[in-house]
Amino acid sequence: SASGPNGHGPNGHGGPNGHHGFGRVARKEDARFIRGQGNYVDDIKLPGMLYGAILRSPHAHARLLSVDTAAAEAHPQVRAVITGETLAGLNLAWMPTLSNDVQAVLATDKVRYQGQEVAFVVAETHYAARDALELIDVDYEALPPVVDARTALDDGAPLIRDDVEGRTDNRIFDWEAGDAEQTGRVFDDAEVVIAQDMLYPRVHPAPLETCGIVADMDKVTGKLTVHTTTQAPHAHRTVYALVAGLPEHKIRVVSPDIGGGFGNKVGIYPGYVCAIVGSIVTGRPVKWMEDRSENLMTTSFARDYHMRGEIAATRDGRIRGLRVEVLADHGAFNGTAQPTKFPAGFFHVFTGSYDIEAAHCAVTGVYTNKAPGGVAYACSFRITEAAYLVERMIDLLAAELGTDPAELRLRNLLRAEQFPYSSPTGWEYDSGDYPRTLRTAMDIAGYDELRAEQADRRARAADAREDGPLMGIGISFFTEAVGAGPRKHMDILGLGMADGAELRVHPTGKAVLRISVQTQGQGHETTFAQIVAHELGIPVDDVDVVHGDTDQTPFGLGTYGSRSTPVSGAATAVVARKVRERARIVAGAMLEADPEDLEWTPGRWIVRGDPSSGATMQEIAMAAHGSLELPDGVEGHLDATTVYNPPNLTYPFGAYIAVVDVDPGTGKVTVRRFIAVDDCGVRINPMIVEGQVHGGLADGVGMALMQVMAFDEDGNHLGASFMDYLLPTSMECPSWELGETVTPSPHHPLGAKGVGESATVGSPAAIVNAVVDALHPYGVRHADMPLTPANVWRVIQGRPFRT
Ligand code: MCN
Ligand code: CUM
């Protein structure tokens, strides 16, 4: 592999950036970011640009009786007021969601969640647009809301989606995977069975930059240009084409710098459609940017899975079966983002990293009076929930059997010789050596010493010799399935999930790579240049990466589900190798040798066995554009294109260990240490990979200890600001201790697997397991996230402390 145990490539650390490939290359994009010269959507100002603002529903559920816009329209600075009725006239009041449902752009009949879009004002200034919202008079008739998903299917529950003919209840889908009968048999004769209800609460990706758009309809050329915060520019273009009936070549989607996406910027929001209509109506560009509360209240939430897990095992700790029932809260419109065939995303990879005989899951999706658009927040399409479930169940089993949770995992983890492994729910894991990764994490942690320290502290606490914090140690081991995906298995809204790549090499040997994925902070301008540099043997600084503009890049489905490296990264390697093969033919002509007799050494084609006779990529590029006679049928230049359809997903994995201290007096949890050993195959840029892991671990601290989108019984959103919805900072995070193992993916041309969501997926379970472990002397088996001081304190009240 190109990456050694510490991730330093063959080219060492490499300074900026004459480096020829993989390794710790400094991020090219930081040159503008650290100077404050990034270019975000809100920085864009077009001549004559107007500003939009949205009037939102104060009710979670209400009938819309009337919307009076006369006073707003009379405001001297207002240029247009758009309502559901306006849109209905254009057949745009409803739009398709990513899950083949429909969603109201502006309400026409009812409002179905607090914050739902009711009217759109376009004015000369942002402030005027906001002021005019207050002049709109809306008459609502309040209806009882469905706030708790567990009551959504009750007899007499208010019907949320009465817009759909024939609908009589709030059920969206029932879906299952695995073998129910076989799993039932395993449970029937199992020696030990444990069940637990748990909630993965509703959370939010909360990127620092909120969502927004500048829409510009040029009436002369008929071309619509939208600058927008999108993780998937080409997919957005196609959806706009289908919704608005515009031809795709008359739509240009530009995604400039993005201040974090985390899944929040996958979907199309009503504000985008309104801004486009606003531009069509006024003939001027229209900007719409959400504020923080709008972002938290109305855009893609994540999780909200009510789960019941059951695990079956032998007395001596061999796991035999796993069964799960899920009630999934999808909000008022089913707008979750995932491949079409999988309404619960990839949740059914829930047997995780273990060798389990039989497994079955059943997921029921329901409508509630909450914002739509789930799955976002570094989730690998619901694998976050799946990993959390199995890792909690294993700890519950360990507690029941009185076995050490590390020992129980080592006994049941898939073994290296089982790969490629076919899981009981139909997945084929590509590669792994799980026990080695867990042992690496245990070595870094000093696991045995930690357990000894814990035993000593518990004994002291029991003898009342100490009333200090309670110490807990939590492990989680996760496997993800990322890199969606093979065309034969998956699509989103009918769009296959292959990605194009185009590579041009200029006469002087400088290269331009065009890709469809969209960086939101992951450093693609650097890592994708590194892939080209690695394949062509040219400096990283000689490669420019063009992305985020549908007029300039080939089609592809965008960045989410950690698919950029597995899919577009593979496309980049393949297109660079095509260029290299074209260069071989040109080199053959230059060296007067049969191309078959040439061999590649980094940066040069040489005559086999004779390094003194060769041509560098730069020399070959010049010759390819020059007057050198080429063999018949060989075109000049070196440019190439490709489309990469991945043969399988990649399966990154990791072992995480959290050490926490819990103050029994206040319930406050402190994460003392966190050890994370990730295996994402070959690392292109180990420094960027570590940055991705750091970010995801912080996400885990946020979800495990601080975050929930709560609602009161009227459906009022209680987390609409950063005063109520808490983001983790360095104050709550320990200094992360990272390790790595490298098990290359056998089917990826570079051996790389995705990593962008790994730590968010894997870390919450480690922290919750650690907190529950700390509370073990109180007999606590489980506690739901977020483990805020108040929640932890409440869990142990009235329970005696026993070791
Ligand atoms: N990488 C690498 N070697 C590997 C794997 C990845 O060097 N073996 C590098 C990649 O080349 C890329 C980065 O690590 O520069 C992440 O790659 P990848 O795992 O392919 O994930 P994506 O680029 O597709 O990013 C998506 C992922 C998702 S889905 C969410 S959500 C998330 C995440 O990335 N959102 C982020 N990380 C984020 N990081 C930032 N800063 N901002 C976000 O919004
Ligand atoms: Cu699921 S959040 Mo990311 O896939 O953009």
Side-chain angles (χ1 to χ4, degrees):
S1 102
S3 185
N6 298 314
H8 307 311
N11 302 311
H13 279 259
N17 274 340
H19 198 282
H20 287 57
F22 296 174
R24 295 173 179 270
V25 170
R27 292 184 5 138
K28 289 169 152 236
E29 39 270 86
D30 288 345
R32 60 179 188 280
F33 292 139
I34 61 175
R35 289 173 173 83
Q37 286 173 356
N39 183 39
Y40 300 90
V41 166
D42 205 22
D43 294 322
I44 292 169
K45 291 183 179 64
L46 300 180
M49 190 172 79
L50 300 170
Y51 297 80
I54 292 176
L55 182 71
R56 296 180 180 279
S57 165
H59 299 282
H61 199 191
R63 201 159 295 291
L64 197 61
L65 300 179
S66 66
V67 183
D68 181 351
T69 60
E73 277 166 70
H75 187 292
Q77 300 222 54
V78 167
R79 295 293 161 262
V81 180
I82 296 161
T83 63
E85 210 176 308
T86 329
L87 293 183
L90 301 165
N91 208 12
L92 287 174
W94 296 82
M95 64 177 184
T97 70
L98 292 173
S99 289
N100 284 303
D101 193 357
V102 291
Q103 170 174 0
V105 178
L106 293 176
T108 47
D109 54 342
K110 288 204 305 193
V111 288
R112 295 176 170 84
Y113 57 93
Q114 190 186 46
Q116 190 181 331
E117 298 77 3
V118 174
F120 188 75
V121 170
V122 183
E124 292 289 341
T125 69
H126 180 65
Y127 301 104
R130 284 281 170 133
D131 286 348
L133 294 182
E134 290 177 21
L135 302 175
I136 300 175
D137 198 10
V138 185
D139 209 2
Y140 296 100
E141 176 196 328
L143 299 169
V146 179
V147 181
D148 185 339
R150 290 166 300 183
T151 65
L153 298 176
D154 287 356
D155 284 342
L159 180 62
I160 297 169
R161 295 299 302 279
D162 50 356
D163 56 296
V164 182
E165 191 105 19
R167 180 170 276 293
T168 54
D169 65 15
N170 294 316
R171 186 183 303 269
I172 309 175
F173 63 82
D174 287 304
W175 185 77
E176 60 180 316
D179 187 332
E181 229 171 277
Q182 188 204 359
T183 309
R185 280 197 301 273
V186 164
F187 271 88
D188 287 345
D189 66 33
E191 292 170 13
V192 184
V193 173
I194 298 185
Q196 179 67 48
D197 288 317
M198 58 187 90
L199 169 68
Y200 206 130
R202 181 174 271 237
V203 291
H204 197 279
L208 285 188
E209 179 201 32
T210 59
C211 299
I213 187 171
V214 178
D216 184 13
M217 182 69 180
D218 183 328
K219 285 210 167 142
V220 176
T221 61
K223 183 147 181 168
L224 171 69
T225 302
V226 302
H227 294 83
T228 184
T229 50
T230 172
Q231 297 178 215
H234 290 273
H236 276 209
R237 183 185 62 181
T238 301
V239 174
Y240 290 136
L242 296 173
V243 172
L246 289 168
E248 259 161 316
H249 68 288
K250 293 288 187 193
I251 305 175
R252 177 180 178 193
V253 176
V254 183
S255 188
D257 286 329
I258 294 206
F262 308 101
N264 192 219
K265 291 163 182 170
V266 171
I268 290 181
Y269 297 116
Y272 300 176
V273 178
C274 289
I276 291 169
V277 172
S279 179
I280 293 172
V281 171
T282 60
R284 291 166 63 176
V286 175
K287 175 187 284 185
W288 170 72
M289 273 314 291
E290 283 172 347
D291 66 20
R292 179 61 55 196
S293 296
E294 293 181 293
N295 180 256
L296 287 170
M297 286 177 74
T298 67
T299 62
S300 299
F301 70 93
R303 332 290 185 231
D304 222 344
Y305 260 30
H306 298 258
M307 305 186 277
R308 179 175 181 75
E310 288 175 280
I311 193 163
T314 61
R315 270 271 149 234
D316 61 358
R318 175 97 207 119
I319 303 170
R320 298 191 54 211
L322 193 58
R323 190 155 59 185
V324 193
E325 274 177 48
V326 177
L327 182 65
D329 184 336
H330 282 221
F333 306 103
N334 185 21
T336 64
Q338 74 264 304
T340 309
K341 268 191 265 176
F342 306 112
F346 298 163
F347 180 81
H348 58 305
V349 74
F350 70 100
T351 54
S353 317
Y354 305 97
D355 185 11
I356 299 180
E357 223 175 297
H360 181 257
C361 72
V363 183
T364 295
V366 294
Y367 291 118
T368 59
N369 288 109
K370 299 179 193 168
V375 175
Y377 196 176
C379 57
S380 304
F381 296 123
R382 300 277 188 205
I383 293 179
T384 322
E385 293 89 328
Y388 178 75
L389 177 106
V390 66
E391 291 305 305
R392 278 300 300 130
M393 292 313 296
I394 301 237
D395 262 38
L396 283 155
L397 180 63
E400 170 76 19
L401 298 174
T403 310
D404 182 272
E407 185 48 43
L408 185 62
R409 284 182 173 81
L410 285 170
R411 213 175 296 170
N412 290 282
L413 282 173
L414 292 167
R415 297 178 312 280
E417 64 274 15
Q418 288 176 279
F419 291 89
Y421 165 76
S422 296
S423 90
T425 49
W427 299 82
E428 194 190 290
Y429 297 10
D430 56 352
S431 63
D433 184 348
Y434 294 178
R436 179 169 68 120
T437 304
L438 179 51
R439 289 222 168 80
T440 304
M442 291 168 69
D443 285 346
I444 298 173
Y447 187 74
D448 293 339
E449 294 86 81
L450 286 170
R451 284 290 175 206
E453 181 194 339
Q454 183 185 41
D456 182 53
R457 284 173 168 246
R458 277 185 184 161
R460 289 164 159 279
D463 306 346
R465 275 181 289 148
E466 184 172 303
D467 61 357
L470 301 163
M471 174 179 174
I473 304 160
I475 302 178
S476 93
F477 198 104
F478 65 91
T479 300
E480 286 184 284
V482 303
R487 289 167 63 119
K488 62 173 187 276
H489 295 314
M490 53 195 75
D491 67 271
I492 291 184
L493 279 183
L495 298 173
M497 303 186 78
D499 286 358
E502 292 175 12
L503 184 58
R504 290 187 196 161
V505 181
H506 298 313
T508 58
K510 311 284 189 274
V512 179
L513 174 73
R514 294 166 189 277
I515 47 174
S516 56
V517 288
Q518 170 60 45
T519 182
Q520 311 125 44
Q522 296 92 340
H524 292 175
E525 288 165 44
T526 308
T527 47
F528 281 76
Q530 286 182 267
I531 296 173
V532 173
H534 173 80
E535 294 295 332
L536 299 186
I538 61 176
V540 174
D541 268 352
D542 286 358
V543 186
D544 235 6
V545 176
V546 176
H547 67 109
D549 182 344
T550 56
D551 272 9
Q552 296 205 51
T553 54
F555 188 86
L557 273 212
T559 292
Y560 44 82
S562 303
R563 65 186 295 284
S564 302
T565 307
V567 188
S568 278
T572 300
V574 168
V575 80
R577 286 173 194 179
K578 278 193 180 178
V579 165
R580 204 166 72 196
E581 283 307 305
R582 298 194 62 184
R584 178 208 280 258
I585 295 169
V586 176
M590 291 168 75
L591 302 169
E592 295 179 357
D594 182 342
E596 292 305 312
D597 292 337
L598 301 184
E599 72 179 320
W600 177 252
T601 60
R604 264 174 112 223
W605 280 111
I606 61 167
V607 176
R608 196 178 309 278
D610 177 13
S612 70
S613 161
T616 64
M617 191 49 80
Q618 289 84 353
E619 290 162 350
I620 298 169
M622 188 56 85
H625 290 82
S627 54
L628 175 75
E629 187 113 14
L630 295 172
D632 280 352
V634 175
E635 296 173 338
H637 306 179
L638 296 175
D639 305 348
T641 68
T642 197
V643 176
Y644 187 81
N645 173 30
N648 189 4
L649 302 173
T650 67
Y651 293 76
F653 55 93
Y656 291 176
I657 300 178
V659 183
V660 302
D661 293 308
V662 182
D663 182 336
T666 61
K668 184 176 185 311
V669 176
T670 305
V671 182
R672 189 205 304 180
R673 289 179 66 195
F674 199 107
I675 295 90
V677 179
D678 272 275
D679 191 324
C680 57
V682 172
R683 297 181 174 203
I684 296 155
N685 187 325
M687 181 179 67
I688 285 181
V689 168
E690 287 163 16
Q692 290 290 298
V693 173
H694 284 179
L697 296 177
D699 284 342
V701 170
M703 286 183 286
L705 301 181
M706 302 155 71
Q707 298 178 336
V708 60
M709 313 282 295
F711 294 81
D712 71 10
E713 68 250 30
D714 296 323
N716 291 311
H717 194 294
L718 303 178
S721 81
F722 284 162
M723 299 284 282
D724 302 303
Y725 188 79
L726 304 180
L727 297 191
T729 69
S730 56
M731 295 297 288
E732 288 80 32
C733 295
S735 183
W736 312 112
E737 300 170 60
L738 304 192
E740 71 174 299
T741 56
V742 176
T743 314
S745 168
H747 63 79
H748 187 281
L750 301 168
K753 304 180 177 189
V755 76
E757 300 163 301
S758 293
T760 315
V761 168
S763 56
I767 296 170
V768 174
N769 283 345
V771 173
V772 174
D773 181 54
L775 302 183
H776 188 264
Y778 290 102
V780 173
R781 275 167 45 102
H782 176 75
D784 279 331
M785 297 183 281
L787 298 172
T788 56
N791 286 347
V792 171
W793 186 84
R794 211 173 294 128
V795 165
I796 58 179
Q797 287 322 294
R799 287 173 177 267
F801 184 93
R802 287 199 195 94
T803 50

